[in-house]
Amino acid sequence: MARNPRRDLLAGMTVAIVALPLALGFGVSSGLGAEAGLATAVVAGALAAVFGGSNLQVSGPTGAMTVVLVPIVARFGPGGVLTVGLMAGVLLIALALLRAGRYMRYVPAPVVEGFTLGIACVIGLQQVPHALGVAVPEGEKVLLVAWRAVQAFAADPNWSAIALSLGVAGVMLAGARWRPAVPFSIVAVIAATLAAQLLHLDTAASIGDLPSGLPAPSLAFLDVSALGSLLAPAVAVAALAALESLLSATVADGMTVGQQHDPDRELFGQGIANLAAPLFGGIPATAAIARTAVNVRSGASSRLAALTHAAVLAAVVFAAAPLVSAIPLAALAGVLLATAVRMVEVGALRAMARATRSDAAVLVLTAAATLVLDLVYAVIIGLVVAGALALRAVAAQARLDEVGLRPDLPGGHSDEEHALLAEHIVAYRIDGPLFFAAAHRFLLELSEVSDVRVVILRMSRVTTVDATGALVLKDAVEKLNRRGIAVLASGIRPGQRQALESVGALALLRHEGREYATTPEAIAGARRHLEHAGLLPARHLPLPDPRPHRIRKAPR
């Protein structure tokens, strides 16, 4: 992707406008106040942009992290949260030095979707007290707190607060469908603030006074005697920061052509960001999927965009603190309610639910555990259950030996292989189970294919496909198509069709008429494609590398 500094500056300004109400809202939700959210967005946003492993990633306070921090604040106070952030930064840097980033990509898709659904529900429930204009009830369980807030509202209704909150959320959701490029969150918050001021509405509370600048860095919050009791929360925060940041970076890579993040450097950048943010009163940070997506869609091509986002927010802190302090908490609750709704990808959930019963079970279990327990336990439970179900499915096929991705043709005759390679066609046979444990390695190897015009995937020997494998296959086909390489498939078995159909992988092949019953038919189709496109190469062109591409052992 060619760099365009002007476009990066505009993208950074756009992201800052989107990020401002989110930073304020997540700061308030964490229990440390709006100033903590702004400090995190500025300090962590800048450092993660410089030291991180993605050119497009935008970091700061996030809803997922807020969900983890609320019980920590209740138990250990603000100083405990700052200490946890510092310790999490050290742990993230250790993970980076141990080169653990590569392993985070093996989280199954149903676990990710269930995790996201659970987070969205928790964020929405957390906003109930402010949206209803009542004081936040005591308690750590979000369901109980939300219920107590509803009871308080029923006893003494505050219709102004709920009207502002629902109005802001409605404007954001409707505006996103009408004009996705317009930052309706800031428009709605400004309108709600003006309405509250001009009409003297009783909205219960506003953000309140903010410092006109970042505080001087300090370690005054650090209590060395409490480090032992804070270790478990720090591990949870570090695990969440690693998971969410690497997922966000993967999403950013998928939205572009030619961008590839470095997972270990990304962990290092997040570690540096979390080491520094607490010194300025900021909460633990992670990459933000929503803001990263806005950054990519706005045309960002380098780290300059994320740095611009942090600089604009810093300018707000120094120049507009009095204006920001008047924003009603009900308006910020509306922003976060809309954010929670937009986090839920109904199409992805439907695809997971339809793929296999195992994928549906993992999704529901992970979402429920996120809502009832906490995020880290939810991911652990989801991974354990997904692994057990996947191994059971593979064992039922009695072929738990290997997943192979190799150039191959009927009979395995090298002269026939080379004849096809001379036409810049390569046929790959996939052997064994294509499920989450091996799927990402499959994607990396397949998407790096070069010097060919057509790839044929022979799938008659695939024994198992889960939702993650189907999604990865679809992603590989899309990546190759974007590079001008046509992908054909042959021998898809009936048992594989449900998972492939649910995520749109089959539709992608059928759209171009690129699914065939047998490999000879697919080879004939490949030649017709080249002939129609005028791409039949001369026989003397150099051959692509015919060496086998293999995915070795699937875990037992």
Side-chain angles (χ1 to χ4, degrees), residues 84-484:
V84 163
L86 201 69
M87 295 171 68
V90 174
L91 292 174
L92 286 167
I93 292 175
L95 288 174
L97 296 177
L98 292 172
R99 304 187 65 80
R102 71 192 76 178
Y103 300 110
M104 301 299 288
R105 67 168 68 103
Y106 298 123
V107 178
V111 174
V112 175
E113 293 298 337
F115 176 77
T116 304
L117 175 61
I119 289 172
C121 292
V122 173
I123 292 172
L125 290 169
Q126 283 179 339
Q127 308 317 309
V128 170
H130 291 315
L132 299 179
V134 301
V136 179
E138 293 185 2
E140 293 185 13
K141 299 298 182 181
V142 66
L143 284 168
L144 181 61
V145 171
W147 174 244
R148 289 174 177 171
V150 171
Q151 290 178 318
F153 176 81
D156 184 17
N158 185 332
W159 299 108
S160 297
I162 196 171
L164 278 186
S165 181
L166 294 179
V168 169
V171 168
M172 286 181 62
L173 294 173
R177 296 177 64 88
W178 178 51
R179 289 285 190 274
V182 178
F184 280 98
S185 58
I186 196 72
V187 173
V189 167
I190 291 173
T193 304
L194 290 175
Q197 295 291 320
L198 296 177
L199 300 178
H200 304 288
L201 299 178
D202 177 18
T203 59
S206 61
I207 288 177
D209 293 336
L210 291 175
S212 56
L214 294 175
S218 171
L219 278 172
F221 61 85
L222 185 61
D223 181 3
V224 178
S225 63
L227 294 182
S229 59
L230 292 173
L231 180 58
V235 171
V237 167
L240 177 60
L243 178 64
E244 191 171 11
S245 297
L246 294 179
L247 286 176
S248 176
T250 301
V251 170
D253 290 346
M255 295 176 67
T256 61
V257 177
Q259 292 280 358
Q260 190 72 33
H261 75 281
D262 181 336
D264 295 315
R265 182 176 172 184
E266 181 60 30
L267 291 180
F268 181 79
Q270 295 297 330
I272 295 294
N274 279 286
L275 271 178
L279 304 181
F280 296 88
I283 60 178
T286 180
I289 295 177
R291 275 158 275 178
T292 298
V294 170
N295 195 38
V296 175
R297 287 197 295 264
S298 300
S301 59
S302 74
R303 300 168 191 267
L304 178 60
L307 285 170
T308 302
H309 140 269
V312 171
L313 290 178
V316 170
V317 172
F318 284 99
L323 298 177
V324 172
S325 65
I327 296 175
L329 292 180
L332 291 183
V335 171
L336 299 186
L337 284 172
T339 301
V341 171
R342 294 174 65 181
M343 285 176 67
V344 179
E345 295 286 347
V346 177
L349 293 177
R350 188 182 294 117
M352 294 296 106
R354 291 178 177 175
T356 66
R357 290 182 181 179
S358 297
D359 290 318
V362 171
L363 186 150
V364 172
L365 184 61
T366 306
T370 302
L371 188 59
V372 177
L373 301 175
D374 67 45
L375 276 67
V376 176
Y377 281 132
V379 172
I380 293 173
I381 291 171
L383 286 173
V384 170
V385 173
L389 292 174
L391 290 176
R392 187 187 70 171
V394 172
Q397 298 292 333
R399 276 203 59 183
L400 188 55
D401 52 358
E402 67 174 8
V403 177
L405 175 64
R406 70 194 78 180
D408 190 59
L409 290 170
H413 299 299
S414 60
D415 55 345
E416 194 170 357
E417 289 183 16
H418 280 268
L420 274 188
L421 289 171
E423 299 175 70
H424 286 237
I425 301 171
V426 63
Y428 285 95
R429 191 183 75 211
I430 309 173
D431 292 335
L434 184 60
F435 69 120
F436 72 87
H440 288 277
R441 194 181 303 170
F442 162 82
L443 169 61
L444 289 175
E445 297 208 11
L446 184 59
S447 61
E448 290 173 359
V449 170
S450 60
D451 297 325
V452 298
R453 299 290 189 178
V454 181
V455 169
I456 299 172
L457 298 178
R458 297 183 60 203
M459 299 185 63
S460 61
R461 297 192 184 186
V462 175
T463 56
T464 301
V465 179
D466 71 352
T468 305
L471 281 172
V472 166
L473 179 65
K474 178 186 176 184
D475 193 14
V477 173
E478 290 175 337
K479 284 180 178 291
L480 291 172
N481 286 346
R482 283 198 295 264
R483 290 168 47 199

Side-chain angles (χ1 to χ4, degrees), residues 3-64:
R3 293 189 177 183
N4 187 327
R6 181 179 178 183
R7 183 176 293 178
D8 285 334
L9 291 171
L10 291 175
M13 294 176 66
T14 302
V15 176
I17 293 173
V18 173
L20 176 59
L22 293 175
L24 296 171
F26 289 137
V28 172
S29 295
S30 72
L32 269 70
E35 62 273 17
L38 280 175
T40 305
V42 173
V43 177
L47 291 175
V50 173
F51 294 102
S54 171
N55 291 328
L56 306 175
Q57 192 98 280
V58 179
S59 298
T62 64

